[in-house]
Every structure is written in structure tokens, then in C-alpha cells.
Amino acid sequence: MSVILKDLNDYIAPSQACIKPVEVKKTSTDNNNVIKIDNSGEYYEVSQEGVETKLQPASITLEDCLACSGCITSAESVLITMQSQEELYNILRNNKQAIIDGKSEKIIVVSIAPQSRASFATKFGLSPLKVAKRLTYFFKSLGVHYVFDTSFSQDFSLLESAREFVERYRKFQEFQENHGTSSESKLTKNNRIKRENTSSEDATQHKRSSDICLPILASSCPGWICYAEKTHGFVLPYISKTKSPQQIMGSIVKDYLASKLGVKPNNIYHVGVMMCYDKKLEASRLDFFSEEYQTRDVDCVLTTGEIVKMFEEQNFNINESSEMPLDSFVKTSQEGQLLRSSGSASGGFLEFILEYSARELFGITGIDVEKEHGVVVKIGRNKDFKEISLEADGKPLLKFASAYGFRNIQNLVRKIKSGNSPYHYIEVMACPSGCINGGGQLKPNESLSIKDWINEVNNTYRSIDSLSPEKNETVLNLYSEWLGGKDSPKCKTMLRTQYHAVETLTNPLAVKW
Amino acid sequence: MTTRLYQIAELKGHTDRVWSVAWSPTGNVLASCGSDKTVRLWVSNSDTEWICTNVLEGTHKRTIRNVAWNPDGRQLATASFDSLIGVWEQEEEGGDYESVATLEGHENEAKSVSWAKSGTLLATCGRDKSVWIWEVGTDNDFECLSVLQEHTQDVKMVMWHPIKEILASASYDDTIKIWKEDEDDWYCSDTLEGHESTIWSIDFDKTGEYLVSGSDDKTLKFWRCYRPDNREGIITDRNEPKWKCICTMSGYHQRCIYSVSWSKVHGRIASCGGDNTVRIFEQEESTVSGSTIDTTNFSMIASVTSAHGVVDVNCVQWYPTEKHSNWLATAGDDGIVRIWQLTEE
């Protein structure tokens, strides 16, 4: 396991030592017992009468890890053991046994992220379409029933994020008008008072209800969300409430697909194939767990690298593999070509939201952010910070930014805290270079530098045509058929979520010089 | 002729152990900080009469572990166990110091802070194993340029090169790392291995070609920077200079070495630590001629035992300019700051 951990380049590193106080069930109330350790390292409690009882090792669950502020990190080792290919193999084995026993099997669904697909395609020298068809073959030959693509659910995520932005922008404007401040001065100044009080998080600005907090910060990066919840509670109201593509696919599979197939959500086992270990954390959030059915929207997340390990375990050679036609929830053209959304390989949030809100708020059409048409682009102090504004007569109407990597997140968080952020929307990603460089992605062959490798994977990602989410007919149909319209209460439950500040844990024993 | 260290002043005021001392760039002011969560500034009227002119307090909620002057002499930075980095500025000459920025980012105890020669970069480190590089903007707006996470343990100290924008960091992982900037980010250009335990302190000589380190393994090590194609034939990789240990001083300190200081004026090295002793070393004339490897030797020329009574000496700093270049300041667990003079008789 240390090999996997060593290769992680997510900014979040495991903490020195886990300091979560663990509740251990006491076997007796007698305080005079002694603890014995045998040769194999097992612990026994020995009572005064000499009776030995084996003690249970204390264990940290993923939920413990999520709820603890002891370290910023996702304890990757916890994640890796709880969501692994072994777990998927178990489900597949149980299914085979269920068929023999004449019992009903679980429906197994695999949803693949386009960033993972691009990583496979670059590594094995295949087109993304061939990768999609061969992965479909691979998973179905193992006993999986459906293989989907999270570019499909990403379109929901983009549409919903853009609507949320426009809603919040309008409420923000309304608030400013009612309180006699122009939006511009509110965003850029608002600061003198704050500066003297920078460490106080309950200053009035932060008490404002979240529906008028600007900038909106992107929500699809679980590393960023986890970090914000554990260390910067004040920033949570700013974070977009729209679910990530992975979790919207979770809603589609466990709600829409389940009802279509006439099965209960807990009879579907849903696996995500993702670019990032922290997606495992996201899948484990209680917000995405159904009490009623005791099931998660995404049951297990495997990284791109873990899938290559499965290839090896299954003696599968993707370069010589058969292909299978793509399933329904895959973003494709009518001719069966794969499609993506315009913009960065981190999901294209900034690009789509800017184009959508330019039209909705200012009636400006025809801009193309990816091609830098109609917007002003400024690269920041480093390549992972970019500023993109929509201007009219030299004045900025909308100011967006993308901030990738820990160093840029730090500056961003400080700017928001001091009221110094001039932005309306910020696409935040924890990894330098964004999702395409996720910690779970495949590594380059030795001859290639990391930088060139990321460029290649990025180019593969962008090698397929783009289609606006607003033109994705299947998605638009599902809005009415499944959700009952774009403003329905069901939209809120299926497409939006919430965040929770984790209380700081102070453990005096954890202090070191 | 013998060389001796005399105490010339005792600076009392801190109410708990003193962790660090730092001379202002001109030497006119001495700053000290410690467990009482304050920074105290000291000025001398005469060699023996010192007064505390300012007490900087209120920002940090826990021990202030380290204090450093901006080379412009107007600002001070502090690293605290409360995880914050404080930046303080004097309003006007002779006036009060106010907290002008607090930098959040370290996950827990911050251990050390250092300003680059230009005064435009600040480095910090701490128990969270990270080294941070901050850019000093206008209006005390600090921007994080990099978060370097290659040390595998607690980072005890950061120190900038005296001339170039090159940073050294010392860690509980027994290594020293050298950091440089390329086109887009900072990277580790060399890792100095050799100490057998935690490295608590490092300092460059005035040229930046040599580095001294003090460790929990009770030794001082001297390191030299070899450029690619050096005439000594030291192999370098990736066209980066290579730091090699050229001398190890063992058998002097009986316990952990907490602090080292390399005088930029006369080149002598001072060290102190858990054996309550302050020691002074001097570079010997080159002893082997025509050798391909530098065999520069150092020898001890003076020492003071029980410099702070029976307690640890946490920090030692040479006076920075010609004026009193034979002065030293030390900080101890007894809560006292002491000034020493090195004299030749």
C-alpha cells in the first residue's frame, strides 16, 4: 500500500499520526485487569481470575475520518481498504452464487469519469471512444450490467451550477440595492473593518445567508471540500450547492435507473471510476447515504490506477480487447461519437457558467471561453491561477477565476476572508493542473516529464468534440421525465447538497515542540 | 593568546522560557521571543545597560517559537505554536509596533520564519512537515507562492541564502533540503543527508557557499556547495549544484545542538544546546594542499559551560555588523537573554 500512497500527488498528505480519540468497548468494568500481548501481537485482557479475553483492535472508519478535524487529510489508507477492487470482486462473486442459488442478483453499474478515460487512452495509445467500448467489454465480461459515463451527469452539474449562479447573482444584486451599496464596491472593498478582525469568523459578512454570498466557489473537487470543511468553516456558504458529476450520476442510478428497472436502490451496486482518491471520501459522505434503503448513491470508487491493477489481475489486455457498444447514459452524438463539454479538463464549470450567465444576465451571446472569444483572459502569478472576465466598454461585468493547487487555494481563502476577492465565480480544484492530474491517474513512462504527460492527457481529453449541456437532449428530457421540470423540489434533492463545518478538535497530547 | 567568552549583560523580562533571539540588521535592536507569547525588543544605552523598549503581544495565543527581522529593519515576523505567522511593523521611529498581518496556512505549530535578502520573500515551516514561501506584496498583502511538502517529518528551521533566492530547510527527518524556483514553482534541488538525528538549526556563511548544521546527533556538520563542472570533480546531477559534507565536528557538545550562528563579519561559528554550553569554532587554514577534496578543518576556540545555569541554551546569534562583531546573544530556558563578548587575551 505504501507504493500507492507514495505516488499520490494530491495536495493532501496523510497526517503524522491519527489523533482521533477512539471509543473502545470495554470487556469488563474491573479495573484490576492487566493487558497481555502474545507473540503474534494480539492483545488480551487478563482478569484477576486469570481469564483471558481477546481485545478488539481500535479501528477508524471512513466516517470517523471525515468527521475528525485532527488532520486535514483524507486518511488514504482507510479509504483504500474500504473501497477497493476486492469489494467489487466480492459483489461479483456473490452475484454468481446468487444465480446458482436461484436468488436475485444485484444490478452492478460502473460510471467512468472522462478524465480517467483520457488517462487510459493516452497510456495505451487508444482513442477515448475505443477505451470507452473496451472498458464496457471489460466490465461486462466480469458481470457488470451497465457502464456509464460521468460526462453525462456532468451536463446536469453544469446546468444546475449555472442556474444556481444566476439565482445567487440576482439575489446578491437585490441585496446590494436594498442596502445601498453597489455590487462593485461590495466585492472589492468591504474590507477595512474586516482587516482588523481577520481571525474572527463570525463577522457579519460571514453571517450573511448563503444565497447571497459571492463569489460562488466550485464544489466538484472533494479534496477542496474536505479541506474547507475541516479548516475554513467561514467559506462554506460560498461553495456551490450543486452536486458533483459523480454524485449526480449516483442520483440517476439509485433513483431514476432503480425505478425504471423496478428495483430498490440497495439492489444496485454503483461503482465510480475516478481520477482522484478523494472521490472515495465524497462517495462516503452521509449526505449521499439513504437511511431508508441503507445504501450510498455511489457504493465504491476505484481510481484509474486501481482499474489498471484489475486489468493485471484479470489478465486483460486493453490493446487487444474486444469492444462492446456504449450504454445509454454516455454523452454521445447521434452517430455514436463521444462528446464532452467545452472548457477545461476539470469539468468546464467556469466556461459554461460564464457563457450561460453572460446570456441570462446581460443578453450577451456568442462568446466562447475555451477559444477565448469575447472574454479577457489573464494568467496569474503561476499557471494554475487564471482570471477570465466578461467586459463591456472596458468595464468588467463578470469576473471569474480558476484556482488550482494548494498555494492558490490558500491565497483565495485569505482573499475571501478579508473581503478582498473581486471575483463572482471561482473554479477551485485541489490538484495543480486540475482534475486531469488527479492523484488516481496513471503515471507517465519514465522518458516523459510529468508536465509533458499532463499536456498529452489534456490533449486526449480535448480531442473529442464538445456539445453544450443545453443541447444534450437526453439530459433535457430527463429534467422533465425524471425531475418534473427544472425548478421542481426533486431537482433540489437530486442535484443539490450541503456542507458541514467540522469542529476543531483540541488534543493537548498532540502538541510537540 | 587565548580566546574567552564573557557575559556582559543579562536581559530580564520574559516570564517563561526564551526560544529565540534576533538582531536587527544594524544590530541596534535585539528581539527575543518565547513561551510567554511575547516578543521583547531590547536596546543598549551602554555595553552593560540594556532596556526593553517594546513588548509585542496579543496576536499569538501560544508560544512564539521564532522571530526574524525583515532586512529593511522595519518589520518583524514571528512563528507561533498557534499555527500563525505574525508580521509586525513599527509605525514610526521610536514608536510602537503593530500587528499588520497574520498568515494562516500551517496546519499546526509553526516553528521558524526567515526573510530573503531582498525582503520580498518570506519562508515559514512547521510541524505539519511543510515549508511555505510567501511573497510580500504592497500594503502588507502576503501571497502564498508555494507549499513544499517533501520533508517526511516536522520541519524545524528555514534559512535563506545570504545573497540569492535559495532556501534551506532542516528537519526531524534528519535531512536538509535546498529549494529553488523554476519558471512556475519552487522545487527541491538538493537533499543533504548525513546527520543521524533531527537537525535543529542551520546557517550559511557570508558567501552562501558554505552551510553549517547543528543536530540532535550532537555534531556540527559543515557543507560546501559544488557547482557542475567543479574542479574538485564532485559529481552533480541535473546540472544542479551539489552540497557535500566537508567536515563533521563531534565530541564537543554532549547533548543535542539547538542552534548555530555563522558570523557574516569574521566567519566564526557559535553553537549551543542541551548541554547548557555555548561553543565558538573557527576555520583553520587549509591543511592539505593539492588535494581534490576540500579538507577544510574547524577547531574550537572558546566555550562557556552553564551559560544559562542548569538549563538548555535554545538560541545563539552573532551581532550582525563590524561595530560589535564579537558580541553574541543567547536565549535560555531560564527566561533570560544574555549578551556575551568574545575577547582575545
Side-chain angles (χ1 to χ4, degrees):
Chain A
M1 191 183 301
S2 60
V3 180
I4 306 168
L5 291 177
K6 209 180 95 194
D7 283 347
L8 284 179
N9 65 350
D10 298 39
Y11 76 96
I12 301 172
S15 188
Q16 201 151 344
C18 179
I19 56 159
K20 172 85 182 159
V22 184
E23 197 187 343
V24 181
K25 281 207 184 89
K26 284 197 84 175
T27 49
S28 81
T29 49
D30 188 345
N31 288 329
N32 294 321
N33 295 352
V34 293
I35 306 286
K36 185 181 117 182
I37 309 170
D38 73 7
N39 293 337
S40 58
E42 302 280 7
Y43 289 74
Y44 298 87
E45 186 172 32
V46 187
S47 70
Q48 280 172 307
E49 294 79 40
V51 181
E52 295 187 3
T53 319
K54 190 173 168 189
L55 292 172
Q56 291 303 311
S59 67
I60 307 279
T61 67
L62 204 44
E63 287 77 11
D64 285 336
C65 181
L66 278 171
C68 171
S69 67
C71 56
I72 293 169
T73 166
S74 47
E76 277 91 353
S77 55
V78 180
L79 299 169
I80 290 165
T81 51
M82 294 202 51
Q83 295 184 33
S84 63
Q85 62 264 42
E86 287 308 320
E87 210 189 288
L88 174 58
Y89 289 144
N90 275 338
I91 301 286
L92 289 163
R93 264 196 299 274
N94 291 347
N95 261 4
K96 291 204 176 103
Q97 193 57 43
I99 295 168
I100 294 167
D101 298 345
K103 291 181 185 154
S104 68
E105 54 173 349
K106 279 203 173 188
I107 307 288
I108 306 176
V109 178
V110 172
S111 300
I112 302 168
Q115 293 87 353
S116 288
R117 201 171 58 201
S119 189
F120 289 121
T122 316
K123 185 81 178 180
F124 298 108
L126 296 166
S127 71
L129 182 62
K130 280 199 173 356
V131 168
K133 288 178 172 173
R134 291 177 188 196
L135 285 177
T136 306
Y137 172 82
F138 172 69
F139 286 117
K140 290 196 174 176
S141 65
L142 289 178
V144 167
H145 299 88
Y146 298 97
V147 179
F148 297 148
D149 158 26
T150 57
S151 302
F152 180 81
S153 47
Q154 186 171 298
D155 278 355
F156 277 99
S157 203
L158 290 168
L159 286 167
E160 205 58 25
S161 297
R163 286 194 186 121
E164 183 188 13
F165 178 80
V166 169
E167 279 164 32
R168 225 195 270 188
Y169 182 89
R170 287 191 172 132
K171 282 194 180 147
F172 182 82
Q173 292 293 341
E174 212 174 287
F175 177 86
Q176 302 305 341
E177 276 157 29
N178 294 341
H179 292 76
T181 10
S182 80
S183 71
E184 212 173 311
S185 69
K186 194 70 187 174
L187 274 171
T188 51
K189 290 171 190 169
N190 183 7
N191 184 22
R192 289 296 130 207
I193 315 147
K194 276 304 300 165
R195 275 209 103 113
E196 288 153 30
N197 201 8
T198 41
S199 61
S200 147
E201 294 188 2
D202 54 4
T204 47
Q205 191 194 0
H206 301 138
K207 275 203 168 155
R208 271 205 259 144
S209 87
S210 65
D211 59 1
I212 47 165
C213 275
L214 282 184
I216 289 192
L217 308 174
S219 62
S220 70
C221 172
W224 150 239
I225 298 298
C226 183
Y227 175 71
E229 287 185 328
K230 288 190 174 186
T231 61
H232 297 293
F234 76 90
V235 99
L236 300 182
Y238 294 86
I239 297 176
S240 161
K241 291 188 169 51
T242 302
K243 288 184 191 175
S244 71
Q246 168 177 291
Q247 291 311 135
I248 290 182
M249 190 54 103
S251 299
I252 295 172
V253 166
K254 293 285 174 113
D255 190 81
Y256 179 76
L257 184 70
S259 72
K260 275 278 164 195
L261 296 174
V263 298
K264 286 180 182 161
N266 51 339
N267 283 329
I268 300 180
Y269 188 77
H270 185 200
V271 182
V273 174
M274 293 287 145
M275 52 289 183
C276 161
Y277 283 89
D278 288 334
K279 284 282 172 190
K280 294 176 194 247
L281 265 183
E282 178 179 56
S284 311
R285 292 174 68 89
L286 285 176
D287 307 275
F288 306 134
F289 178 75
S290 156
E291 281 290 334
E292 189 185 352
Y293 295 104
Q294 292 292 305
T295 187
R296 299 181 202 292
D297 292 344
V298 180
D299 295 280
C300 175
V301 172
L302 300 176
T303 62
T304 320
E306 286 169 315
I307 299 300
V308 169
K309 266 211 240 118
M310 281 181 76
F311 290 174
E312 287 160 12
E313 287 157 2
Q314 302 297 322
N315 290 318
F316 172 78
N317 181 347
I318 194 168
N319 288 104
E320 287 164 13
S321 155
S322 307
E323 294 179 0
M324 267 181 114
L326 302 177
D327 274 318
S328 52
F329 298 141
V330 177
K331 189 170 175 179
T332 55
S333 65
Q334 285 181 335
E335 298 75 36
Q337 292 299 312
L338 287 176
L339 293 171
R340 65 177 176 106
S341 49
S342 177
S344 80
S346 298
F349 286 90
L350 181 148
E351 290 85 352
F352 179 70
I353 296 170
L354 188 50
E355 287 166 21
Y356 180 94
S357 51
R359 189 189 70 214
E360 292 296 307
L361 295 170
F362 303 102
I364 299 172
T365 55
I367 65 166
D368 185 331
V369 183
E370 186 179 88
K371 297 200 175 96
E372 303 187 1
H373 285 166
V375 287
V376 180
V377 179
K378 223 172 94 187
I379 308 287
R381 183 75 169 69
N382 57 67
K383 67 173 165 44
D384 282 329
F385 192 89
K386 229 196 273 184
E387 220 179 78
I388 296 171
S389 13
L390 178 72
E391 295 186 352
D393 308 323
K395 275 192 181 164
L397 296 174
L398 289 173
K399 229 173 161 155
F400 282 29
S402 60
Y404 297 169
F406 198 34
R407 55 182 169 164
N408 291 316
I409 288 182
Q410 285 307 315
N411 295 325
L412 163 84
V413 164
R414 272 203 327 282
K415 276 208 178 91
I416 292 172
K417 198 169 192 175
S418 64
N420 268 332
S421 157
Y423 305 111
H424 296 94
Y425 179 86
I426 307 174
E427 186 178 280
V428 186
M429 301 287 161
C431 288
S433 305
C435 290
I436 204 74
N437 181 34
Q441 294 282 65
L442 305 179
K443 305 292 176 249
N445 301 331
E446 273 175 25
S447 59
L448 210 58
S449 76
I450 296 279
K451 212 164 151 187
D452 292 340
W453 173 248
I454 293 167
N455 271 339
E456 277 192 27
V457 183
N458 216 346
N459 290 339
T460 311
Y461 179 93
R462 284 164 179 256
S463 68
I464 57 182
D465 290 338
S466 64
L467 175 78
S468 164
E470 291 180 285
K471 292 182 181 146
N472 187 336
E473 294 294 338
T474 329
V475 166
L476 299 182
N477 288 340
L478 274 184
Y479 254 106
S480 44
E481 186 202 334
W482 170 43
L483 300 171
K486 61 181 188 200
D487 296 315
S488 70
K490 193 161 184 181
C491 272
K492 291 263 182 305
T493 55
M494 290 294 140
L495 306 179
R496 297 201 186 184
T497 183
Q498 55 193 330
Y499 310 100
H500 323 274
V502 177
E503 269 185 49
T504 312
L505 175 125
T506 39
N507 181 348
L509 295 175
V511 173
K512 290 183 184 170
W513 298 134
Chain B
M1 193 173 70
T2 53
T3 317
R4 294 184 62 185
L5 260 184
Y6 286 101
Q7 179 179 305
I8 55 173
E10 264 188 6
L11 282 47
K12 291 182 177 170
H14 281 289
T15 56
D16 203 337
R17 70 172 69 168
V18 188
W19 276 112
S20 296
V21 283
W23 295 99
S24 67
T26 56
N28 292 343
V29 188
L30 180 70
S32 60
C33 66
S35 298
D36 65 3
K37 309 175 192 101
T38 69
V39 173
R40 283 170 190 267
L41 302 183
W42 311 84
V43 172
S44 66
N45 291 333
S46 65
D47 290 2
T48 52
E49 194 193 329
W50 292 68
I51 52 162
C52 175
T53 55
N54 297 76
V55 179
L56 284 53
E57 57 191 339
T59 292
H60 292 300
K61 295 192 178 66
R62 292 181 54 197
T63 289
I64 303 176
R65 178 68 179 84
N66 190 224
V67 58
W69 289 91
N70 185 322
D72 73 5
R74 285 177 48 248
Q75 287 188 329
L76 278 164
T78 46
S80 165
F81 287 174
D82 65 7
S83 85
L84 300 177
I85 303 300
V87 180
W88 312 75
E89 191 175 294
Q90 191 172 25
E91 288 166 334
E92 57 192 18
E93 198 147 333
D96 287 340
Y97 281 77
E98 66 162 347
S99 165
V100 290
T102 44
L103 310 182
E104 293 176 39
H106 281 289
E107 194 183 326
N108 41 46
E109 289 86 339
K111 299 286 177 78
S112 169
V113 58
S114 176
W115 299 85
K117 182 72 180 163
S118 63
T120 58
L121 295 174
L122 186 73
T124 63
C125 67
R127 191 188 144 211
D128 62 6
K129 307 178 217 169
S130 65
V131 171
W132 293 53
I133 296 174
W134 308 80
E135 185 177 49
V136 186
T138 50
D139 202 18
N140 293 312
D141 187 22
F142 285 75
E143 190 170 339
C144 166
L145 296 186
S146 199
V147 181
L148 303 162
Q149 295 181 300
E150 288 180 44
H151 277 296
T152 57
Q153 295 292 344
D154 198 349
V155 187
K156 299 295 187 188
M157 185 167 175
V158 280
M159 174 63 76
W160 287 98
H161 187 284
I163 302 158
K164 298 175 186 163
E165 288 192 341
I166 293 174
L167 182 73
S169 60
S171 165
Y172 181 51
D173 68 11
D174 308 347
T175 71
I176 298 163
K177 285 182 183 284
I178 307 290
W179 308 92
K180 287 161 73 176
E181 190 178 20
D182 70 6
E183 55 194 72
D184 199 61
D185 203 351
W186 290 73
Y187 68 99
C188 175
S189 70
D190 199 3
T191 300
L192 285 57
E193 289 170 340
H195 276 297
E196 285 162 14
S197 187
T198 304
I199 301 152
W200 281 93
S201 182
I202 44 178
D203 199 7
F204 286 96
D205 80 322
K206 69 175 171 197
T207 65
E209 297 296 305
Y210 293 86
L211 182 78
V212 62
S213 53
S215 163
D216 182 51
D217 68 11
K218 305 177 199 128
T219 70
L220 289 171
K221 281 183 186 286
F222 291 88
W223 311 78
R224 183 180 161 188
C225 179
Y226 292 92
R227 282 168 217 304
D229 302 322
N230 58 80
R231 61 190 171 84
E232 290 84 358
I234 303 292
I235 296 162
T236 58
D237 352 306
R238 294 168 295 145
N239 216 26
E240 294 282 358
K242 179 81 198 151
W243 287 84
K244 280 206 104 70
C245 179
I246 52 163
C247 180
T248 301
M249 303 291 281
S250 56
Y252 294 94
H253 283 284
Q254 304 303 307
R255 294 194 179 197
C256 176
I257 299 169
Y258 287 131
S259 179
V260 289
S261 175
W262 198 326
S263 168
K264 307 293 182 279
V265 180
H266 48 65
R268 294 195 180 96
I269 295 106
S271 62
C272 64
D275 63 0
N276 317 334
T277 304
V278 179
R279 294 174 199 277
I280 311 294
F281 298 87
E282 192 174 61
Q283 194 162 359
E284 291 173 5
E285 299 291 310
S286 184
T287 47
V288 181
S289 60
S291 168
T292 52
I293 305 285
D294 199 313
T295 52
T296 313
N297 283 324
F298 294 82
S299 54
M300 191 174 81
I301 56 163
S303 68
V304 173
T305 52
S306 307
H308 284 255
V310 294
V311 297
D312 292 357
V313 187
N314 295 318
C315 184
V316 58
Q317 289 294 317
W318 285 108
Y319 191 92
T321 68
E322 285 284 354
K323 190 176 171 193
H324 297 294
S325 67
N326 56 351
W327 281 9
L328 276 172
T330 59
D333 272 0
D334 55 2
I336 299 174
V337 174
R338 293 170 200 265
I339 312 293
W340 307 80
Q341 186 166 356
L342 187 72
T343 56
E344 290 174 13
E345 295 169 349

